[in-house]
Amino acid sequence: MSMHIYISREGFKETPIPYNEWIEAAQKCDLFDVIEKKDKKGEVKFTVNLKANKKQRLSLTPYGLLHAQNPEKELVEAMFQLAPYLNAKVYSERNKAYESVSDWEKRTKNYRNKRQEQIDEYKRTWYKRKPFWVLIAIIAGLIIGFAKG
């Protein structure tokens, strides 16, 4: 299951975070590694990874939001340290601001528990309906068989 969180300014699309400003802020925050790379066109691009875990990274969306997918707690902590450099806050994928790392943990746990309950309920319902669909397939096969014969 995927989960996304963002760093954004109030107003989201009306107040995007510029690329250069994001890189400067990430360089000021000692929890991130800012790695310079050249793309296929020879343009300089930067990758921003968490120093403690290189697989945890941030990216800038076309709308000027800093995005993290499936963040671990250490990345969320780093995002809360980075946000003030950008005059921004950390938001959920539903655009609701998190107050703190503990708020993120609590809301994420609740969200994931509810989502798992939905998945479990779907599976229970599917297993209850499965014999019905098998019966329909058998009847359809018999009807087709009689129609040909």
Side-chain angles (χ1 to χ4, degrees):
M1 175 176 55
S2 178
M3 196 192 82
H4 308 269
I5 66 171
Y6 302 91
I7 295 177
S8 177
R9 294 183 177 134
E10 199 78 30
F12 299 99
K13 290 182 184 178
E14 294 81 30
T15 56
I17 297 171
Y19 186 79
N20 292 341
E21 194 174 332
W22 168 52
I23 298 302
E24 287 175 21
Q27 289 170 334
K28 290 177 187 175
C29 188
D30 62 344
L31 298 173
F32 290 104
D33 271 334
V34 180
I35 302 161
E36 183 178 326
K37 294 182 180 182
K38 289 190 178 184
D39 64 9
K40 293 178 183 178
K41 297 177 185 177
E43 296 177 17
V44 175
K45 298 289 181 184
F46 295 92
T47 303
V48 178
N49 300 327
L50 192 62
K51 283 184 181 179
N53 182 349
K54 303 291 184 206
K55 292 182 181 180
Q56 294 284 295
R57 68 187 61 170
L58 290 176
S59 59
L60 187 67
T61 70
Y63 299 108
L65 307 172
L66 295 179
H67 170 255
Q69 184 173 354
N70 292 323
E72 294 177 7
K73 183 178 178 179
E74 55 196 1
L75 179 58
V76 176
E77 289 171 345
M79 290 174 77
F80 271 96
Q81 287 190 19
L82 179 64
Y85 288 115
L86 298 164
N87 194 25
K89 292 182 179 179
V90 180
Y91 290 89
S92 73
E93 56 192 18
R94 294 186 174 123
N95 300 331
K96 294 182 181 179
Y98 290 113
E99 299 298 320
S100 64
V101 176
S102 60
D103 180 38
W104 169 79
E105 285 179 308
K106 178 183 165 194
R107 287 168 51 189
T108 300
K109 182 179 178 183
N110 290 341
Y111 172 78
R112 289 185 177 175
N113 287 344
K114 285 179 186 176
R115 183 70 181 129
Q116 190 60 47
E117 287 172 10
Q118 290 172 338
I119 291 168
D120 293 344
E121 179 61 28
Y122 174 79
K123 287 179 181 178
R124 282 191 297 275
T125 303
W126 167 248
Y127 289 123
K128 288 177 184 175
R129 293 181 182 167
K130 190 175 180 179
F132 170 76
W133 290 110
V134 169
L135 182 62
I136 294 294
I138 290 170
I139 293 171
L142 291 173
I143 291 172
I144 292 170
F146 282 123
K148 289 184 177 181

